[in-house]
């Protein structure tokens, strides 16, 4: 039996973008995930589908899982030989309560390791454009937790150039009073940063004398406070030249698929929320595809129109005990740059890719006469476009359609994406296929209650709707009555370029 291990991982300040590579690797191998509040919901999608997930978050003033229970869970699962990930916000060793958990693991002779994370104490000021040190204004800084302000040495704290306070939202007035009593001026600058590294991040700037008036009736959890003259240096933004800085983008995609598109957008400064709008599953029966694979030598062409089609075709090819050599004599046509890239992963290059990467131009530019040619077309089981098959048949080709996969709509909308939409924080929603448009519309419509003042169209009134190409745009018009951005090159790179051009017009 494999020995168990517990990995205590720092999830970072809020966004999945700030998770370490080692943390990501360990999450991908987790058999049990025990996670805190404030971790990005997208992190939960990094674990295997059969991973046991347990939420044990602790929030001030709310019911919480007792620490003793958390310790017992870690020891119990580890003793069963499981690979356990204990996912903590920020860094495990900065107010992360790692010590009692490590103590329990040591006492039970359990293997463990600790993976550092980026603490909000460091990230929140940076993401708000506030440096913690400066050669003139701040030679040092202190980080403290203020959930129990009465036990702190305010005499010593007040003398530090820059003060960073975590977990102090409920005690703001006590903090201000203590600092002023120990000599800090009412004119001392203060910044309060709520929900750092998230799309809903907010920053209030004031002084010890007036900040309370600014945040009356605001919930200050979770927040990071920065007190000191460095607050005057705010707006030293980390990436002012990136064209999508300050834009929150919802990327609709297939569940459990990594998103290269998200990486492209983040490289341009965007905050990305990935929203699964498709569930890709095996077809209801493999019979048709397996039979076609058994007679591959009878086909002249194999047409692949999606990365999913590529994946499932080669999965069944391997299941039949065959490899790419079985395709000797069969030419391959692919639609889409992503499909071509997926094919390359199997060591194959397409014999033909239509211009503009779209199916509509496949027949018009086909490199040879298709009359009498037998074509294998592995495709989505239901809901796919019929135009391609019809056009191939018109020119005399014999098309054998087989179900290679099925695509469906998730049962409910991603909670983080829904919150961003409801609170008006989304700037852009992107669509890379007609089905993502249809499913996104359905998910939003279902999420809106009968008493809601919104419709899917009005909820997105101030949101840019971005499409990868004409067919997707057509579906956008049908669902929402408009499209704001359409890629000139019908690829993810093309859509990124179109969004960059759109962003320039907004400034």
């Amino acid at each position: 039996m494999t020995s168990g291990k517990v990995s205590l991982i720092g999830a970072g300040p809020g966004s999945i973008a700030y998770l370490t590579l080692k943390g990501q690797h360990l999450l991908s191998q987790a058999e049990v995930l025990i996670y805190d509040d404030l971790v990005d919901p997208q992190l939960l999608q990094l674990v295997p589908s059969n991973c046991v997930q347990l939420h044990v978050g602790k929030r001030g003033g709310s019911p919480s899982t007792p620490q003793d229970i958390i310790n017992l869970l870690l020891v119990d699962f580890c003793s069963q030989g499981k690979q356990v990930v204990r996912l903590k916000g920020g860094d495990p060793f900065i107010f992360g309560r790692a010590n009692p958990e490590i103590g329990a693991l040591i006492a039970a002779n359990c293997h463990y390791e600790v993976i550092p994370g980026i603490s909000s104490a460091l990230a929140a000021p940076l993401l708000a454009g506030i440096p913690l040190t400066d050669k003139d204004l701040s030679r040092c800084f202190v980080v403290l937790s203020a959930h129990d302000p009465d036990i702190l040495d305010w005499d010593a704290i007040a003398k530090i150039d820059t003060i960073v306070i975590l977990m102090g939202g409920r005690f703001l007035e006590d903090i201000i009073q203590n600092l002023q009593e120990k000599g800090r001026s009412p004119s001392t600058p203060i910044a309060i940063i709520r929900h750092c590294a998230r799309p809903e991040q907010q920053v209030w700037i004031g002084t010890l004398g007036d900040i309370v008036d600014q945040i009356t009736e605001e919930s200050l959890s979770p927040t990071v406070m920065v007190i000191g003259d460095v607050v005057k240096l705010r707006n030293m933004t980390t990436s002012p030249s990136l064209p999508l800085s300050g834009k929150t983008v919802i990327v609709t995609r297939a569940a459990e698929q990594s998103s290269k598109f998200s990486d492209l957008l983040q490289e341009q400064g965007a905050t990305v929320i990935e929203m699964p709008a498709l569930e890709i599953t095996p077809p209801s029966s493999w019979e048709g595809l397996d039979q076609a694979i058994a007679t591959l030598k009878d086909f002249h062409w194999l047409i692949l129109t999606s990365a999913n089609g590529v994946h499932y075709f080669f999965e069944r090819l391997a299941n039949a005990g065959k490899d790419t050599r079985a395709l000797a004599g069969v030419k391959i046509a692919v639609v889409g740059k992503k499909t071509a890239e997926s094919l390359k992963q199997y060591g194959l290059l397409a014999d033909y890719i239509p211009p503009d990467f779209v199916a509509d131009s496949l027949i018009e530019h086909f490199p040879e006469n298709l009359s009498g040619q037998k074509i294998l077309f592995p495709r989505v089981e239901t809901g796919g476009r019929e135009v391609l098959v019809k056009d191939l048949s018109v020119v005399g080709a014999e098309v054998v359609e087989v179900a290679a996969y099925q695509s469906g709509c998730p049962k409910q909308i991603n909670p983080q994406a829904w919150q961003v939409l409801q609170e008006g924080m989304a700037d852009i929603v992107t669509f890379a296929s007609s089905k993502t448009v249809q499913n996104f519309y359905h998910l939003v419509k279902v999420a809106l209650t009968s008493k809601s003042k919104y419709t899917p169209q009005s909820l997105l009134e101030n949101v840019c709707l971005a499409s990868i190409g004409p067919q997707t745009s057509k579906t956008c018009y049908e669902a929402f009555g408009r499209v704001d951005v359409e890629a000139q090159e019908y690829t993810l790179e093309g859509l990124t370029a179109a969004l960059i051009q759109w962003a320039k017009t907004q400034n």
Side-chain angles (χ1 to χ4, degrees):
M1 181 178 69
T2 304
S3 60
K5 186 183 77 172
V6 176
S7 300
L8 292 89
I9 298 175
S15 169
I16 189 174
Y18 302 112
L19 178 71
T20 63
L21 289 174
K22 186 164 186 180
Q24 180 182 8
H25 173 69
L26 290 169
L27 279 167
S28 72
Q29 298 180 325
E31 296 175 288
V32 179
L33 174 65
I34 299 176
Y35 65 97
D36 280 346
D37 276 320
L38 304 182
V39 302
D40 188 335
Q42 294 188 63
L43 291 170
L44 308 185
Q45 299 175 23
L46 298 179
V47 300
S49 59
N50 60 348
C51 175
V52 176
Q53 299 185 25
L54 300 174
H55 172 248
V56 295
K58 295 177 180 292
R59 294 293 298 275
S62 301
S64 301
T65 304
Q67 187 62 54
D68 288 347
I69 299 299
I70 297 174
N71 298 347
L72 287 172
L73 287 170
L74 295 174
V75 169
D76 183 45
F77 282 115
C78 186
S79 299
Q80 295 176 36
K82 302 292 187 182
Q83 300 302 304
V84 183
V85 166
R86 174 72 173 101
L87 192 61
K88 294 173 168 290
D91 181 273
F93 278 8
I94 300 180
F95 305 120
R97 304 192 189 189
N99 287 349
E101 295 172 9
I102 290 173
L105 293 169
I106 292 173
N109 293 317
C110 290
H111 297 296
Y112 73 92
E113 66 175 325
V114 183
I115 311 303
I118 300 174
S119 171
S120 62
L122 303 178
L126 181 146
L127 294 172
I130 300 170
L132 290 181
T133 60
D134 179 80
K135 68 182 183 65
D136 298 317
L137 299 180
S138 179
R139 301 294 182 92
C140 59
F141 66 89
V142 63
V143 178
L144 58 101
S145 165
H147 73 278
D148 191 356
D150 292 339
I151 66 173
L152 297 172
D153 184 351
W154 290 104
D155 278 307
I157 293 168
K159 293 180 174 67
I160 303 296
D161 292 345
T162 302
I163 305 165
V164 181
I165 300 178
L166 310 182
M167 294 174 277
R170 290 185 296 159
F171 304 104
L172 176 60
E173 294 187 33
D174 293 333
I175 291 167
I176 291 172
Q177 179 181 340
N178 280 310
L179 287 173
Q180 291 185 351
E181 286 178 355
K182 301 306 178 182
R184 295 302 281 255
S185 167
S187 63
T188 301
I190 178 174
I192 297 180
I193 305 150
R194 179 170 68 181
H195 294 300
C196 87
R198 294 176 179 269
E200 62 267 33
Q201 175 175 300
Q202 287 181 278
V203 181
W204 291 273
I205 301 293
T207 66
L208 293 182
D210 65 21
I211 192 67
V212 172
D213 293 334
Q214 290 192 45
I215 48 80
T216 302
E217 298 183 359
E218 293 282 358
S219 170
L220 295 183
S221 177
T223 56
V224 176
M225 301 178 192
V226 183
I227 300 169
D229 286 340
V230 289
V231 174
K232 298 175 184 177
L233 301 177
R234 197 204 170 199
N235 291 327
M236 288 189 169
T237 55
T238 57
S239 52
S241 62
L242 296 179
L244 296 180
S245 291
K247 303 297 184 186
T248 296
V249 185
I250 293 179
V251 173
T252 58
R253 61 171 182 81
E256 298 183 359
Q257 281 189 348
S258 61
S259 181
K260 172 187 174 183
F261 188 32
S262 294
D263 294 338
L264 291 171
L265 294 171
Q266 287 168 347
E267 287 169 4
Q268 300 301 324
T271 297
V272 176
I273 308 296
E274 292 192 348
M275 177 186 156
L278 284 175
E279 288 184 341
I280 305 301
T281 58
S284 58
S285 171
W286 291 117
E287 183 179 355
L289 181 55
D290 288 347
Q291 184 176 347
I293 287 173
T295 58
L296 271 177
K297 60 181 177 58
D298 297 335
F299 292 93
H300 300 95
W301 282 90
L302 168 66
I303 293 182
L304 299 165
T305 59
S306 72
N308 294 313
V310 173
H311 167 72
Y312 281 107
F313 174 81
F314 284 99
E315 180 182 283
R316 295 310 292 179
L317 190 70
N319 186 73
K322 300 181 179 183
D323 57 25
T324 55
R325 290 173 294 182
L327 289 165
V330 180
K331 296 178 182 178
I332 304 175
V334 302
V335 174
K337 189 174 182 179
K338 186 176 179 181
T339 311
E341 290 174 353
S342 298
L343 187 64
K344 285 182 183 178
Q345 295 176 7
Y346 295 91
L348 295 173
L349 296 176
D351 295 284
Y352 170 55
I353 303 175
D356 300 325
F357 309 105
V358 293
D360 292 355
S361 60
L362 186 140
I363 304 298
E364 181 182 354
H365 299 277
F366 213 85
E368 62 184 43
N369 189 335
L370 288 173
S371 179
Q373 301 275 302
K374 188 171 183 179
I375 297 175
L376 174 59
F377 182 19
R379 57 174 296 178
V380 65
E381 184 168 1
T382 58
R385 295 177 65 205
E386 305 299 329
V387 175
L388 178 58
V389 176
K390 181 179 178 181
D391 289 348
L392 288 168
S393 300
V394 167
V395 296
E398 178 189 351
V399 184
V400 176
E401 298 178 79
V402 292
Y405 63 96
Q406 180 63 288
S407 66
C409 184
K411 293 182 175 60
Q412 61 184 17
I413 196 167
N414 173 276
Q416 186 183 18
W418 183 231
Q419 179 184 355
V420 168
L421 287 168
Q422 284 183 299
E423 296 182 6
M425 294 181 294
D427 298 294
I428 302 166
V429 179
T430 65
F431 301 105
S433 70
S434 289
K435 275 203 169 182
T436 57
V437 178
Q438 294 162 348
N439 290 351
F440 176 84
Y441 180 89
H442 172 76
L443 290 167
V444 170
K445 189 174 182 179
V446 169
L448 290 168
T449 65
S450 58
K451 296 181 180 179
S452 174
K453 63 180 180 179
Y454 292 110
T455 64
Q457 292 86 350
S458 64
L459 183 69
L460 298 171
E461 185 176 1
N462 298 314
V463 179
C464 171
L465 302 182
S467 158
I468 199 169
Q471 188 61 37
T472 303
S473 294
K474 179 182 176 182
T475 310
C476 273
Y477 277 110
E478 293 169 354
F480 300 106
R482 64 184 172 91
V483 171
D484 302 296
V485 172
E486 181 180 291
Q488 296 300 303
E489 179 186 282
Y490 311 141
T491 64
L492 297 178
E493 290 83 359
L495 184 50
T496 302
L499 286 172
I500 290 171
Q501 290 301 313
W502 170 84
K504 290 177 179 178
T505 67
Q506 306 302 302
N507 298 329

